[in-house]
Amino acid sequence: MTHPFLDLTPLTAARFASIEDRVARLLRTEQDVVIMQGEALLPLEGAIRSAAGPGTTALNVITGPYGQTFGDWLRDCGATVIDLAAPFHTAVTAEQIREAFAEHPQIDFVSLVHAEAATGNTNPVAEIGEAVREQGALFYLDAVASIGAEPVLPDAWGVDLCVIGAQKAMGGPAGVSAVSVSERAWARMAANPGAPRRSYLSLLDWKERWLDGGRKALPHAPAQLEMLALEACLERIEADGLDAVMARHRRAAEATRAGARALGGGLEPYVYEDREAAPVATTLRAPSGVPASELVVRALESDPAAPLAAGGGALAKEMIRVNHYGVDATQGAVRASLATLGGALASAGLRVDVEGALRAAEAAWR
């Protein structure tokens, strides 16, 4: 008996390379692109450990939990780390970046998360990239949540290491991810004696065994099903058009925020300013005295398919996430989320206007 998932012809090096080329086109980059055979934490950690070390002075921007993780990795590498933390309900500014450079002119590495799906904010990378170029620092960007939901342009923004994953706005698999690497970043890695080698984390291994050989022979067996799923999701984005995919995410965010404001019951957007809200997912602040995690449980009891989750860790008390990304970047998903949240708030004894919320969401979608 044959099975369509199990009995596949081995993925060729040429097909693997063609998928990398499609990722490069998605990013509009001329830089090298490497598809890593694991979830996005693999290249996120690998890129930091490859490019940073005891001689590095890093400005680590924290606008959510992933920024905190990057700081831990940088310190573990022996880098001197200067944390720039912003409240999770807002974004960092280019002016704050320049102020940090003025105070610490030795900074030569900047780590930033573009959009934090966990907190619902998004940072102005184009403006920040201009400030980083003025400093001459290496620029590392986590664009895992933003790719497919808003523009990600490593070349135009001067990003040296740009990591993406397909599992959110792209609507693809979680088991593979990609990183674009500038020539400056390759040079920094080559000069770093602590860069991982002969390791699953090693980007230099991929460069020497894959890129430098003309992408003729894969260094190890690829994650075949995940690679095919990535290829399929890239094909779907190309067929729909990236601008159309991003527009759906933007409308979903705008509709969710408008609906939440109209719903009442004490529910409100967690990120205050619309311009700082990420289109990939919308975070909402639960009313005082009503734990967000309990509201989500009640909401999912009425509609288990609604794309809702409580915030992680300490945020579970106050934050609700509407994960309107990928296949859920639709009016239907937004309406279902607002309706089920309205029902959960009403069951907690709070006064809500579900119909008003749905009307507001519909008006904002247009």
Side-chain angles (χ1 to χ4, degrees):
M1 178 183 293
T2 60
H3 192 286
F5 289 162
L6 301 178
D7 303 315
L8 295 169
T9 303
L11 194 72
T12 65
R15 191 164 183 183
F16 192 105
S18 73
I19 299 171
E20 285 184 334
D21 292 341
R22 291 177 110 150
V23 172
R25 288 195 294 272
L26 181 72
L27 293 171
R28 300 176 189 177
T29 184
E30 297 297 322
Q31 297 178 4
D32 290 326
V33 170
V34 176
I35 297 179
M36 303 290 281
Q37 302 296 282
E39 199 270 337
L41 283 172
L42 174 63
L44 286 169
E45 182 175 359
I48 280 181
R49 294 191 182 278
S50 294
T56 303
T57 300
L59 177 63
N60 180 52
V61 181
I62 302 174
T63 55
Y66 280 98
Q68 295 171 327
T69 297
F70 300 161
D72 292 339
W73 287 337
L74 286 161
R75 289 182 178 90
D76 191 49
C77 291
T80 299
V81 181
I82 298 153
D83 286 327
L84 173 56
F88 288 1
H89 62 261
T90 187
V92 75
T93 67
E95 184 57 33
Q96 288 174 292
I97 301 292
R98 288 190 172 93
E99 289 171 359
F101 290 155
E103 187 174 352
H104 304 279
Q106 70 274 28
I107 291 170
D108 61 358
F109 186 98
V110 175
S111 53
L112 176 72
V113 179
H114 187 183
E116 285 264 15
T119 52
N121 55 33
T122 191
N123 290 302
V125 183
E127 291 86 350
I128 291 170
E130 183 177 348
V132 175
R133 282 197 299 274
E134 294 167 3
Q135 178 73 4
L138 204 73
F139 193 9
Y140 162 99
L141 183 69
D142 171 357
V144 174
S146 54
I147 184 67
E150 55 187 304
V152 177
L153 303 168
D155 291 10
W157 296 343
V159 178
D160 296 287
L161 292 159
C162 183
V163 177
I164 67 167
Q167 68 266 36
K168 288 189 168 65
M170 288 178 66
V176 287
S177 47
V179 54
S180 65
V181 187
S182 72
E183 288 301 323
R184 289 199 326 147
W186 285 129
R188 180 77 68 94
M189 294 180 206
N192 179 13
R197 302 306 302 267
R198 296 166 296 282
S199 165
Y200 207 56
L201 290 171
S202 178
L203 286 169
L204 285 173
D205 287 356
W206 274 97
K207 182 179 190 304
E208 293 177 1
R209 298 178 60 192
W210 173 242
L211 297 175
D212 291 352
R215 300 191 298 177
K216 301 296 185 184
L218 286 162
H220 54 71
Q224 174 140 313
L225 292 176
E226 289 81 0
M227 287 296 295
L228 294 175
L230 175 60
E231 183 181 51
C233 98
L234 289 164
E235 289 174 349
R236 186 164 61 183
I237 290 170
E238 291 165 359
D240 291 346
L242 179 59
D243 288 343
V245 174
M246 292 190 295
R248 284 200 297 270
H249 286 83
R250 184 179 65 252
R251 291 191 186 104
E254 291 170 350
T256 302
R257 290 173 67 83
R261 290 187 174 112
L263 183 60
L267 195 70
E268 60 183 12
Y270 186 86
V271 178
Y272 298 160
E273 300 291 337
D274 290 347
R275 61 185 171 80
E276 295 177 343
V280 65
T282 296
T283 49
L284 304 172
R285 193 179 301 275
S288 178
V290 183
S293 56
E294 292 183 12
L295 279 175
V296 169
V297 168
R298 291 182 186 181
L300 293 177
E301 285 175 352
S302 64
D303 185 358
L308 299 172
L315 295 175
K317 296 180 179 180
E318 61 179 346
M319 181 190 288
I320 298 164
R321 285 174 49 185
V322 184
N323 294 319
H324 48 64
Y325 53 69
V327 296
D328 285 321
T330 65
Q331 282 183 285
V334 172
R335 288 176 62 87
S337 299
L338 293 169
T340 54
L341 284 173
L345 290 165
S347 70
L350 298 167
R351 187 174 179 179
V352 295
D353 180 4
V354 173
E355 290 303 317
L358 297 179
R359 287 194 299 271
E362 183 177 356
W365 188 278
R366 295 171 183 163

